[in-house]
Amino acid sequence: MKKLINYVFSMEIAGVLMVVSAFAIGIATFIENDFGTIAAKALVYNSIWFEAIIGLIFINLIFNSIKIKPWQTKQWSVFIFHISFLLIIIGAGLTRYVGYEGTMSIREGSQSNTFLSEHTYVMVKNAQGEVLAKKKVLFSSVSKDEVKVGFDHNDKEYTLHTSDFVPNAMEYIDKSEGGSPMVEISLRKNGKFQNYSVSKGEVLELGRESFGFYSEESQDINIELNDGELQFVANDSVVFFDMLSGQKESLPAGARHAIVLEKLYSLGDFSWVFSEYYPQARLGVTSSNNKSNSLNAIHFSVFSENDEELVSSYVLGMAGYAAPKDFRIDGDVVTISYGSELVELPFSIKLIDFHLERYPASNSPSSYSSDVVLIDPSQNIEMDYKIFMNNVLDHRGYRFFQSSYDQDERGTVLSVNHDYAGMIVTYLGYLLMSLGMFFALFAKNSRFRLMMKKTMATSSVLLLFVVIPNWANAQNSEKCIVKDIPTEQVDELSKLLVQGRSGRFQPFNSVSSQVVRKFSRKVTFDGLNTDQVLLGMMINPDYWAKQEIIKVSNDQLKKIIGNDASRARFVDFFDANSGGYKLAKYVDAAYQKKPAERGTLDKDVIKVDERVNVFYMAMKMDFLKIFPVPGQANTTWTSPNGPFNQYQAQDSNFVASVTNFYFQSLRAGLESGNYADANLMLQGIRQFQEKYSPTQLADLEKMNLEIKYNKINIFDRLFASYGIFGFIMLVLLFVRVLMPKFQMKWTVHVLAILVLLSFVTHTFGLGMRWYIAGHAPWSNGYESMIFIGWATILAGLVFYKNSPIALAATSVLAALIMYVAHLSWMNPEITNLVPVLKSYWLTIHVAIITASYGFLAMGMFMGFLNLVFLLLMNKSNRLRIQDKINEITKINEMTLIVGIYLLTIGTFLGGVWANESWGRYWGWDPKETWAMVTILVYAFILHMRYVPGLKGVYALNLMTVIGYFSVLMTYFGVNYYLSGLHSYASGDPMPIPNFVYYALGVIFIVSVMAYFKYKKMWSE
């Protein structure tokens, strides 16, 4: 028995559990992408078998934590590390079983103390509203949809059986025999007719009016069938209107009137049509092809205790919605519903005003917020609060954050979260985990320190520098006339101070670079730089509106706008006849969805819509905010379009006219060659800025540095330096291993110094970017890539003294990273942070997690080098190459330890950021899920030394190569191929590049050949 227990809780089983759980949650992200979040939860995340795996991991952790015997071995760091994961699992359990969340909708001027739960339930209530039965369910198109719910009513036992789940449900009228008399009614709403139906004995409530068809109680309109004639009696006078003849007739209240089908009836401003009468019909439900319809349905039957079927019908519902239906069971009314439960709060929230800012060109949303009042009589609180992204309302354990809004823009939708206990326990686990990792790196008897001693490790100062990377705080429309304007004039304009949309002051050169890159994803157009392009757009917008310059990658979008090119014209987005915006309905549909529910087309529509608006705003000079407001230092500067009511008469005339005079002077200069007037206008604008905002102009050094940064293009140049120096060093080191008489020691040292100088330049560039932008340079895809490149070189420098080949390998790898960073789908612009990214926690989270990618990348590259060394092994050099492989393998393992520690800390700090921004710390978003997959993969790799058959150097080095594909999936795959919340760091969707397939082929061939050489030549 003891042997069985030891085996069940052995490291072999722990490794299997890690691999199985990683595989399961990885597959779940693809299930979510194809079938929706509910399907992923039903099949994986919330399934019993997955919870059983987590339970086994939990028990295994307890057993192995005790097995360590830290009181004897002094391995307290490892013990703390394992205990922290136990706390994290406990916290997750509290979140799953104790915490809850949902959605609250509030109209302007109204208050609410209830919200709809995120979870869906099958619920049975009696006529008094008392709950007879309630069962939590997770129905989806690919999961089990049969449940049984028992309930007692009037001392009798009943059972409700669900039999079928209908996604994207749509009701239809079944005219087959066996039904009841039914009247179809069309109600006029917002200029359109919507169809409803009422059967004999039922009541149909439509807003403030109700229809009854032989109902027990009198309704506003009562439908009857007398001698085969359909009639109605109304409680108020009704106007009958014949749309063909134009005849109107007033029908008195209380009298019976024959129903005329397909004619319009009105009661005040309430209009309807009796569309059709069916002698025998019943409502049915089927799945529609309209995927935008998120309403679902379940078929069910109710059986008596004698298994007699009493009811067979369906109900509509989904998460955030429920449509209860009344049924008669043994003569009593019972209400059955499927969907969310209405949860009551101990306080209320009142919506004072909902704010929605829109782009000027397409009128599509750009940002939104809610002004609310928190009302809690029990605590005598009535507090004003503004809820918007990254600004969460927190009260009595409940968290409210902005989620969506009503279509008429007079109501808000807030997401609600209540998980105080789970959050506290999980945060405690995060803290212990960080402490455990820190001590594991620096404790005297830790494995990492022992390997450092064996390989004569360098000082830990550089390592600390990586673990805490936050070291700084930081109008001729047919001709392109701008080509003829001298570059000296454009250079003068490039120095003009402009205030950005979030308040950052920057030179015109930076504004043009950001704006042009934003809509075109290019830095030049037809030989013109970004300053010339933006100036040209403002001088003759008609010409530029007809140039193919706005980036469009999605093929479906290209068909919608009618241009198959990779870049479209501004005029392509508007109908030539009506002037209507072609993307309007697609934009509205995308913004009505929650971020996690948006598909690839939705994301592309939002991005392209933004580019169109940026282009339009550029032509209108909206980005040219160059005029400070006198006496109002904190007020946004004004563009040439105004408003001008903040200025005195003389200043107002200057602001309104000087820009046009400047453009006219440029045009005049094209004919005369004299640009003195244009220079005078620019000088006048600068003097106006200096007069009313001298503090902004005082920082000319920063502005000039920004212009130099834009022109130097540091990071693009680093690709060549890292690539050339690293490749030459790698070749020389290979030669040195194979032919020891050629040491070339000084040549290698010189190349290392050149790489070091490149790294210093890289660091200087990051510092410049941080200083210029005012925030840490890792807020988007491009910035995180250049930071990963920096961290990769740093990893090589840390281990250079132990093994020079580490620096050579990381230099080549960094060159590849910098190359990828400058591909067309990466965006190198310096931008202000979007609301959700304006968080200190984000700065730390992204810095640490991207640094981990650099260390793990180094491990992958060195693992591949060891496989190559195995291929080069022969009888004459076997011992020499074995020594080199063992040396690199030790460094590789240390690299992986640092990498997984950084990755784990960074991932869970991302949970802290998510909790501050979204109101929850973990939601199985594909990005965070794949980060967890990566942690599990590398945890397995580092524990392989405990598993028989996986202890050798070949297995470790091979797995470091294979394991890095989980990093690539986390960084690239999720950003560009899976739906989720992390779209802020994504570029345009792209096909899988061909070189990926070639790389996989090379890795496979090298791995197989290295395996046979290892089996043949290696000696322990």
Side-chain angles (χ1 to χ4, degrees), residues 435-613:
L435 290 174
M437 289 178 174
F438 180 83
F439 290 127
L441 289 175
F442 300 106
K444 291 182 179 180
N445 60 342
S446 71
R447 179 173 175 80
F448 185 84
R449 292 290 291 180
L450 291 174
M451 286 191 295
M452 288 286 282
K453 290 177 182 178
K454 288 181 181 179
T455 54
M456 299 178 295
T458 54
S459 171
S460 62
V461 175
L462 278 177
L463 183 59
L464 184 61
F465 185 62
V466 178
V467 173
I468 310 176
N470 190 23
W471 71 93
N473 185 32
Q475 287 278 337
N476 181 357
S477 65
E478 301 303 325
K479 182 182 178 182
C480 183
I481 61 176
V482 75
K483 286 185 177 181
D484 300 325
I485 297 176
T487 55
E488 295 81 4
Q489 294 300 317
V490 180
D491 289 342
E492 284 300 312
L493 175 63
S494 71
K495 301 174 185 177
L496 185 65
L497 189 65
V498 183
Q499 185 181 27
R501 288 177 62 81
S502 66
R504 190 174 84 87
F505 291 92
Q506 53 199 314
F508 178 87
N509 175 257
S510 289
V511 173
S512 70
S513 177
Q514 295 169 14
V515 169
V516 174
R517 279 192 178 117
K518 190 68 176 178
F519 61 72
S520 72
R521 310 308 294 270
K522 296 177 69 175
V523 295
T524 61
F525 179 80
D526 197 21
L528 301 174
N529 61 33
T530 56
D531 290 337
Q532 293 171 306
V533 171
L534 185 56
L535 175 60
M537 290 173 64
M538 295 186 292
I539 291 180
N540 58 336
D542 290 348
Y543 170 83
W544 286 93
K546 298 174 183 176
Q547 303 305 304
E548 292 184 337
I549 194 171
I550 300 175
K551 179 70 174 177
V552 181
S553 298
N554 189 289
D555 291 336
Q556 192 172 348
L557 269 179
K558 292 177 183 179
K559 292 179 181 178
I560 293 171
I561 64 174
N563 189 331
D564 293 333
S566 61
R567 286 175 175 79
R569 305 176 302 168
F570 179 74
V571 295
D572 290 332
F573 293 90
F574 299 88
D575 187 272
N577 297 319
S578 65
Y581 185 48
K582 295 180 181 179
L583 300 184
K585 65 178 181 180
Y586 302 98
V587 173
D588 289 340
Y591 275 103
Q592 287 301 315
K593 299 177 183 177
K594 294 181 180 180
E597 296 174 353
R598 293 171 185 161
T600 302
L601 179 62
D602 295 319
K603 291 180 181 180
D604 288 347
V605 164
I606 291 173
K607 285 188 286 188
V608 172
D609 172 70
E610 183 182 17
R611 290 173 195 157
V612 173
N613 280 283

Side-chain angles (χ1 to χ4, degrees), residues 238-262:
V238 174
V239 175
F240 169 79
F241 179 63
D242 189 332
M243 291 175 282
L244 293 178
S245 64
Q247 174 188 355
K248 277 187 179 182
E249 182 181 354
S250 181
L251 306 178
R256 285 184 172 81
H257 307 284
I259 290 178
V260 182
L261 300 178
E262 300 297 337

Side-chain angles (χ1 to χ4, degrees), residues 729-740:
M729 191 193 305
L730 194 61
V731 171
L732 295 180
L733 290 171
F734 261 91
V735 172
R736 192 162 75 178
V737 172
L738 298 175
M739 294 180 285

Side-chain angles (χ1 to χ4, degrees), residues 207-218:
R208 64 178 183 273
E209 308 295 342
S210 60
F211 293 80
F213 191 0
Y214 282 118
S215 57
E216 293 182 351
E217 298 179 0
S218 178

Side-chain angles (χ1 to χ4, degrees), residues 111-131:
Q111 68 183 55
S112 175
N113 69 335
T114 59
F115 66 90
L116 288 168
S117 66
E118 179 201 33
H119 298 300
T120 53
Y121 300 86
V122 172
M123 196 175 302
V124 183
K125 295 182 179 180
N126 61 20
Q128 290 72 44
E130 298 172 341
V131 177

